[in-house]
Every structure is written in structure tokens, then in C-alpha cells.
Amino acid sequence: MMDAMGIFDMVLALALPWLGWRLLASPDLFRAMVLFISLGLLMALTWVRLQAPDVALAEAAIGAGLTGALFLSALRRLERLSEAERRLAFAGKREEEDEIPPERHRRAKPVAYGLALLLLAVFVLLLAWSLAQTPAGGGLGPAVGEQLGQSGVRSEVTAVLLNFRGYDTLLEVMVLFLAALGVWSLTRVRLPLQDEEPGPVLATLVRLLAPLMIMVAGYLVWIGGSRAGGAFQGGAVLAAAGVLLLLANVTVVRQIPAALLRWGLALGPLLFLLTAVVCVAAGGNLLEYPPQRAGAWILLIESASAVSIGVTLAALYAGGRPPEPPAQDRGGEQGPGRDADADAGGRQ
Amino acid sequence: MNTLLFYDFSGLALLAIGLHGLIRSSHPLRKILAANLMTSGVFLIMISGARGTGQTMIDPVPHAMVLTGIVVSVSTTAVALVLVCLVQETTNRALLWQKRKREKWGRTDG
Amino acid sequence: MGLLHNLGTVCILLGIPFFISGTIGLLRFPDIYTRLHALTKADNVGLGFVVLGLSLQADGWHTVARLLLIWLLVLIASSASCHLVARAALRKKIEPWSRP
Amino acid sequence: MPGNCSPVSLPLATRLTRLLARLVLYAVLWSVLAGLDGRSWIIGLPAVSAAACCSLFFAPQRLCPLSPLGLLRFIPFFLNLSFWGGCDVMRRALSPVMPLNPGLVRYQVSLPEAPQQVLLLNCISLLPGTISADFSGQCLTIHTIDRDMPVWSTVHLLERRVAAVFGLRLAGGAP
């Protein structure tokens, strides 16, 4: 047992921190981000080794793919900005001395370093303490296994996510929604995200892949009931389709009405919340489904959340609220604020 | 049992490196990267613990929590990145450019 | 069944050298374009062998169809991304390495 | 470009046929993915219809009919060439002297429609020794790993085969 797979485990476990170190130490930010994406893929491999296929799927799609895309687009945006700034400086404007002086920087270093070490030591102690506190042979695995029959699904992780600890997932969907609200209230997206023409290959690729991605997202949501998969993975695939459409500079994307986007964003959280309230009203606890219908409820919530997660993640990638429609006048501008307020009010 | 300890230590090391980077690095994008490393480390510790506790049965609760955590971390990352871009836009300070210049001669931890 | 299974294993093992040589090419070749050659072609053939081997070991048409779908998708994605990377590099005026 | 042209101007019957064909295609795909479990269609039906609508929305306005015979003859041709492509790269990567002599080659494409061109471009990247590096107008830039290889004739052969997939005959000839 300890032969081939053990060596593989060891190499993998060593590669992760090494890659993390290289990533933070590399002077070039672009290289750091590429290393970050490869670290995410190695993490996905690690999840498979640790028998967590659900997490592996989510990590590969969200942790490596989508986060990497977010970082790369942010870097691109910053570089474009600083490029403009540099041109401005060369045009004759004297640049101000607003850099932190190196002395102060250096003086701050030992303090920061000491603080980091202290925090780390505290954390290690806490971790060791909590590991020692864990009861032997414990864990919630047997308990979940016992109750799995009445959860309505056959996959343990989905049962925990949407039935036993459904309120966690409810809150988490809300966090995602809040993040989208935050980004939307901060800036307005500037399309196109790419400067240059996408070219025929990318256009055809998008045309081919976008419907297939919708199919795969549906499949992931369906298979989540019995095996690895679920709303997050399906939503991530939908978001990837959205990112592809944004990158390919498809005109249709710009013509999607903002109201539709807003409803897509709110669909999952609203339905989830509604279910929770209905469950309470029917005399149960929060998100305590009727046992016979649990499977149907979970499937409904999962599909709605998958759509919402997809729209939300794609909106986060776009990095702002939808651009103003060119033809209409200011009537559309009033809309987003009012709708967002209504949603926020509905949540409380 | 041995292999589990590998992953525990690996997660701890990732966490430490992330914390180190979060405090030491000067560029905001690098700080966000470091925070992401820290979350990865925490996830690794949690999942490796989930396999370790039961001899026969996997504990699915940490798996579900990590799934949730991945989505939460991507949303915080997205908001942070937009904030960084906004800071640069509003202060009109060429952060990247100046920091890069300093990093050329000021880096000691690479 | 036994024969097919063994044949499948042989095919999977045949695929491995392609992956390895693709990776070696990625490390050894001098510039971005030649590295793209190594990555796209060798990995595609390697994956083809692995898919062939797994299809021989599969227990129904259903799995075979899914495996073929995976291979087709990877084929399309890898060739398209190869073209896109090369295109972006050319437009950035990265000169191809040539033998001095 | 997808989406630049909306399929509104096509006659209704054509649009319905195209929608139906896509529905059938994606339904088959769903049954490949999810198996023959009847309950899977709860998710499958919306997914299939959404995918079909999405595909129809992005579909090019002009039809590019495939020729089944040409497609059948194309598959073994392509598999053979891409296998040799892999072997060629393996030889170059593993050989100690690394026999590389890369360079750029230009080629004038005579295929008329975008889907055909894209098929050609994608296949070139899997052929021995060539990747398609840029394409604008009708001019294709190919990066070849070895300038001594017969790039032009290989690509020309491939172009004729691709044309056959779409039931076209190209006027062959010297450059």
C-alpha cells in the first residue's frame, strides 16, 4: 500500500507548498497567476486522492479555472490602466513622489514577519489542540449514512449540502448573491473585454461549446443526486460558458436585457428562501422538507441555484453591472437600483 | 495513515506560506493570491481530516463545507479584485508599475 | 472478455509514452510555437490510446459513447486553443525561433 | 461571427427543421450522458431544449450541408495523419540532437465558408509538423516544425478532403 501510491502522495503533498512558495516568490505577476492555476489543478488531483470527487470537480472548475480567469482579467485591467498612466507621465506631467520610502518599508518588515510567525504558531497550536480533541472513530460519516434513506438523494455530500445542513448552503448562496450585488454596485462593465477581434476559430468554438456546456451543466445537476456533482459544479460549467461568450465578444451577450440577468441572479436565492419559509410555515424546521417530496424539492432548488450560480459567477467575471443600453434613455438606469433594493429588502 | 499526515502537513505549509505572503508581499494582487493559498491550506487540512477520522466511512460533512468554502472564496476574490481595480482607477496611481520597479531591487524573499 | 481486457491494458500503456514525450518536448523545445507542437499532437494521440483502451475494457456502448465524446471534445478544445495561443503570440510579434 | 446574424430572415419551415434536427441531436447526447433512466428527463428536457435553442441562435445563416460519404472517408484519413503527427513529435522530442528547423509558411485557402475553414484550421494543428498560427482574409499562416517537410502539398490534400466532407469539389492546381 505504501509503495507506489504512497510515493505519489508524498510527491503531491510536497509539490503543493513548493508551488505555493514559487508562486508568491516569482517577481512576475503573470507567472504567479499561471502557477496559481496549476496549483489549483494539483489541488483537484489531491481531492481525488483524498476520495472527495465532488470537491475535485468544484476545485477544477471554480478554484482553478474561474479564479484563474478572474485574476488574469484583473491583471490585464490593471496593466492597461498603468499603461495609460505611464503614457500620461511621459507626456510631460511630472510624476509625484508617492511611493513608500524604502526605509520605512524595511523597518516594517521585521515587525510584520514576527507577527506572521506569532499568528502561525498560535494557529498550529490551535490545530494540534483541536486534532487532539477529536473523538476517536468519530466524525459524522456513520450518522449521515444512517439518515441517508430519508434525505431524498443517494449522494452523501448532496444530502448534507441540501438537506441536513441546508441552511449552510442557503447562507452561502446568499454570500454569492451579495458578492454579485457588491460588484454591480461598484462599477459598470466595459464591453468588449478583449480589444481585438476574436477570429473565426474562437467564434466557432464558442458556437459549438456553449450548447454542449448547457447539456453538461444539466447532467451535473442531475447526477448530483446519486454521485459526484450538483448545483455548484453545474453552475460553474454554465459560468464557464458565459465567460467564453464574453471572451468571444459575442454581440448577443450585449443584447441580453439587464432585467433578465437580474432575475437570473436572484432566482436561486429567492427559491431557496421561499422553500425555507414554506418549510417553517408548514410546521417544520428551517428547510425541513416533507420526507416523501424531499428528492423533488432538492432537485428543484438545485436547478434554480445552478442557473443563479452560473449567472452570478459570469457576472463576477465581467466585473461590473451590465452596460447601459445604447438605444434606450435613462429609464433603464433607474431599474437596477430599485430592483436590487427590492431584493435586499426581501432577504431581510 | 502515513499518507494522511503528508497532506496534513502540506495543508499547514500552504497556510503558513499564504500567511507569510499575505503580510510580506507589497502588491495587492499578490496579497489576494496569498489569501487564496491560505484557504487552500485550510481546505486541505479539513478534507484530510475527514478521511482520517473514520476507518471505513468518509465523513461527508467537511466535504460539503469545503464545497461551500470554494464558492465563498471565489466570490470574495472577485470582490477584492474589483476593489483593487477601482482603487487604481480612482487614485490614478500606477500601482503595478511602481511596485514592480521597487520589486526589482527590493526583493529579498524570492 | 479477458482478451479484450488485456488488449485494453496494452492500449493504455501505449498511450503513456506519448504523454511523456509531449511533456519532454514541452520542456526541451526552444520557443512557444514548437512547444505548442509538442503539447497538442503528442497529448492528443496519447489520449486517443487511453480512450481506446478504456473503451475496450468498458462494459457497454454507453460508456464507449461517453469516452468518445470526451476525446472529441478534448480534440476540438486542444486544437482550437493551440491555434489561439499561436495567433496571440504572432500578434504580439513574438518571433519564432529558427535554427541559426 | 456568431450572433451577428439572427435567423429571422430564413423561412419558417427551414427554421423548424433546423430546430428539430438540433433537438434530436441533443436528446441523443443527453441519453448518452445520463443513461436511459426515464426520470433523468426532468432535467434533461429543459437542458436539451435550452441547448437546442442556444445552438440555433448561434447557427450560421447559410447552410453548410455535410456529405456523409465524405465524412466517413475523412475520419480514417484524419486519424492516420494525427497518429503520425504524434509519432513525429515524439521522435523529435526524444532524439538527443532535437531535429528542429521551424519556420512560417503562408498558404492561400480556397474554402469559402467559415465552418469549413475552421475545420481545416483545427485539423492542421493535429497534422505532422504543422500548426495553424494565424488566419485573416483567406491567408493562412502555418508554423512548421521542419521546413524541409512538404507542408504545402499536405495542407492542400487536407483542404481537398475537408471540402469533400462538405460535398464540395475544389479546383485543384498549382499555387
Side-chain angles (χ1 to χ4, degrees):
Chain A
M1 201 50 209
M2 182 43 210
D3 37 28
M5 277 345 255
I7 290 169
F8 181 75
D9 280 339
M10 196 167 76
V11 171
L12 194 57
L14 282 176
L16 294 174
W18 180 73
L19 215 55
W21 178 256
R22 288 294 307 273
L23 184 170
L24 288 179
S26 83
D28 184 14
L29 270 171
F30 179 73
R31 177 184 291 248
M33 279 156 196
V34 173
L35 283 175
F36 179 77
I37 295 173
S38 49
L39 176 73
L41 292 175
L42 279 190
M43 287 297 283
L45 197 60
T46 313
W47 302 139
V48 175
R49 279 297 299 148
L50 290 171
Q51 301 169 12
D54 293 84
V55 186
L57 276 176
E59 176 84 41
I62 302 178
L66 225 90
T67 316
L70 277 174
F71 271 120
L72 287 176
S73 80
L75 179 66
R76 202 187 148 83
R77 213 166 140 186
L78 283 185
E79 262 174 356
R80 206 187 296 163
L81 286 172
S82 64
E83 193 71 33
E85 165 75 2
R86 191 177 329 184
R87 245 180 275 130
L88 208 69
F90 278 136
K93 222 184 88 179
R94 191 83 200 135
E95 70 178 285
E96 304 133 41
E97 195 58 57
D98 51 1
E99 209 174 319
I100 310 165
E103 280 76 38
R104 213 180 112 205
H105 191 65
R106 200 173 298 145
R107 240 187 294 123
K109 263 181 183 172
V111 178
Y113 201 57
L115 197 67
L117 280 184
L118 186 73
L119 275 174
L120 195 65
V122 169
F123 187 82
V124 169
L125 282 179
L126 269 177
L127 190 78
W129 179 71
S130 66
L131 281 181
Q133 292 280 310
T134 313
L140 293 165
V144 171
E146 260 171 41
Q147 302 288 321
L148 194 62
Q150 48 174 300
S151 70
V153 287
R154 277 178 295 154
S155 155
E156 288 180 339
V157 176
T158 309
V160 172
L161 266 179
L162 283 152
N163 202 334
F164 303 147
R165 291 186 71 91
Y167 45 89
D168 269 1
T169 313
L170 173 65
L171 287 178
E172 185 246 334
V173 169
M174 288 301 171
V175 166
L176 206 57
F177 183 65
L178 272 183
L181 272 191
V183 169
W184 276 28
S185 55
L186 281 173
T187 52
R188 187 185 285 286
V189 65
R190 254 166 265 142
L191 289 172
L193 297 177
Q194 294 292 78
D195 299 330
E196 51 190 53
E197 270 299 286
V201 172
L202 184 58
T204 309
L205 187 75
V206 169
R207 205 160 62 206
L208 212 65
L209 285 189
L212 275 176
M213 280 171 150
I214 294 177
M215 297 282 290
V216 171
Y219 170 68
L220 280 171
V221 171
W222 163 249
I223 206 72
S226 52
R227 269 179 274 169
F232 298 131
Q233 291 89 347
V237 172
L238 275 186
V243 169
L244 213 55
L245 287 178
L246 283 171
L247 276 179
N249 197 7
V250 182
T251 36
V252 176
V253 175
R254 262 177 278 176
Q255 288 157 5
I256 295 176
L260 195 67
L261 276 183
R262 259 174 264 132
W263 276 108
L265 219 59
L267 177 68
L270 272 182
L271 195 72
F272 215 143
L273 203 66
L274 209 66
T275 316
V277 172
V278 165
C279 286
V280 172
N285 282 323
L286 194 70
L287 286 171
E288 186 183 349
Y289 316 111
Q292 284 82 30
R293 301 269 173 76
W297 273 114
I298 288 178
L299 204 59
L300 184 67
I301 292 177
E302 276 211 291
S303 355
S305 323
V307 172
S308 278
I309 290 170
V311 174
T312 311
L313 290 177
L316 289 182
Y317 176 78
R321 63 179 173 278
E324 260 174 287
Q328 285 166 354
D329 33 355
R330 311 289 298 175
E333 174 63 25
Q334 299 291 317
R338 244 194 293 129
D339 246 34
D341 285 346
D343 284 338
R347 229 172 336 101
Q348 284 153 10
Chain B
M1 214 46 213
N2 266 334
T3 55
L4 279 180
L5 279 183
F6 290 155
Y7 286 119
D8 263 328
F9 283 122
S10 176
L12 207 56
L14 266 182
L15 192 84
I17 291 168
L19 191 59
H20 179 259
L22 186 66
I23 295 174
R24 282 291 290 277
S25 53
S26 48
H27 196 281
L29 283 185
R30 211 184 290 272
K31 276 188 197 291
I32 302 172
L33 274 177
N36 266 293
L37 279 191
M38 284 181 72
T39 53
S40 289
V42 173
F43 295 158
L44 195 52
I45 293 170
M46 282 178 75
I47 296 276
S48 118
R51 203 181 89 167
T53 46
Q55 290 300 320
T56 50
M57 217 153 197
I58 306 163
D59 187 353
V61 178
H63 289 197
M65 286 172 147
V66 168
L67 259 181
T68 324
I70 287 176
V71 178
V72 169
S73 98
V74 76
S75 45
T76 48
T77 303
V79 176
L81 287 176
V82 168
L83 279 176
V84 167
C85 288
L86 263 186
V87 163
Q88 179 158 20
E89 255 172 62
T90 47
T91 59
N92 204 14
R93 186 179 296 179
L95 234 117
L96 205 65
W97 173 37
Q98 290 174 349
K99 294 289 154 111
R100 186 182 279 165
K101 202 164 63 183
R102 180 201 303 153
E103 273 172 4
K104 209 174 279 174
W105 46 266
R107 282 202 75 79
T108 46
D109 55 340
Chain C
M1 192 66 197
L3 181 69
L4 271 186
H5 192 88
N6 288 340
L7 212 61
T9 315
V10 169
C11 273
I12 294 174
L13 288 179
L14 263 180
I16 293 176
F18 284 97
F19 278 115
I20 292 178
S21 65
T23 313
I24 290 177
L26 182 70
L27 293 173
R28 280 187 77 195
F29 281 173
D31 72 338
I32 178 169
Y33 304 100
T34 42
R35 285 179 184 164
L36 277 176
H37 278 276
L39 212 57
T40 319
K41 286 170 202 144
D43 280 10
N44 158 42
V45 177
L47 187 69
F49 271 115
V50 170
V51 163
L52 185 65
L54 287 176
S55 318
L56 288 176
Q57 294 181 355
D59 46 5
W61 64 271
H62 193 245
T63 320
V64 175
R66 248 190 267 181
L67 283 168
L68 281 182
L69 186 67
I70 290 172
W71 186 55
L72 197 67
L73 280 180
V74 172
L75 211 69
I76 293 171
S78 74
S79 63
S81 52
C82 167
H83 169 81
L84 292 175
V85 171
R87 183 171 180 266
L90 263 191
R91 302 229 159 158
K92 268 191 160 183
K93 307 262 188 300
I94 298 178
E95 281 291 311
W97 177 87
S98 62
R99 191 165 282 288
Chain D
M1 232 80 333
N4 279 352
C5 47
S6 55
V8 181
S9 53
L10 286 175
L12 186 69
T14 323
R15 276 157 64 198
L16 276 181
T17 332
R18 294 175 91 182
L19 181 64
L20 206 66
R22 282 177 167 75
L23 278 177
V24 171
L25 177 72
Y26 288 112
V28 170
L29 207 63
W30 179 263
S31 63
V32 164
L33 279 175
L36 297 174
D37 185 1
R39 281 178 309 151
S40 75
W41 288 95
I42 302 171
I43 299 285
L45 213 58
V48 165
S49 29
C53 288
C54 175
S55 168
L56 189 69
F57 208 60
F58 290 149
Q61 194 144 26
R62 233 174 305 167
L63 296 170
C64 288
L66 291 174
S67 137
L69 190 68
L71 190 63
L72 272 183
R73 283 166 63 188
F74 182 74
I75 290 171
F77 168 78
F78 169 74
L79 287 182
N80 181 28
L81 269 186
S82 75
F83 172 72
W84 288 113
C87 291
D88 177 66
V89 159
M90 180 152 91
R91 180 177 66 85
R92 287 175 206 276
L94 297 183
S95 136
V97 292
M98 261 206 318
L100 298 179
N101 186 15
L104 293 177
V105 176
R106 297 201 193 283
Y107 182 85
Q108 199 68 28
V109 178
S110 41
L111 290 168
E113 298 281 330
Q116 304 157 1
Q117 294 164 356
V118 170
L119 182 61
L120 176 73
L121 257 63
N122 279 345
C123 289
I124 283 176
S125 298
L126 298 168
L127 242 56
T130 53
I131 54 176
S132 55
D134 202 352
F135 183 73
S136 57
Q138 291 285 49
C139 183
L140 169 63
T141 309
I142 298 171
H143 182 266
T144 170
I145 203 167
D146 193 344
R147 271 181 287 188
D148 302 330
M149 287 177 113
V151 175
W152 191 88
S153 56
T154 323
V155 174
H156 190 63
L157 180 63
L158 180 73
E159 191 182 13
R160 300 182 71 149
R161 294 293 189 126
V162 168
V165 170
F166 290 91
L168 293 176
R169 286 186 65 84
L170 290 183

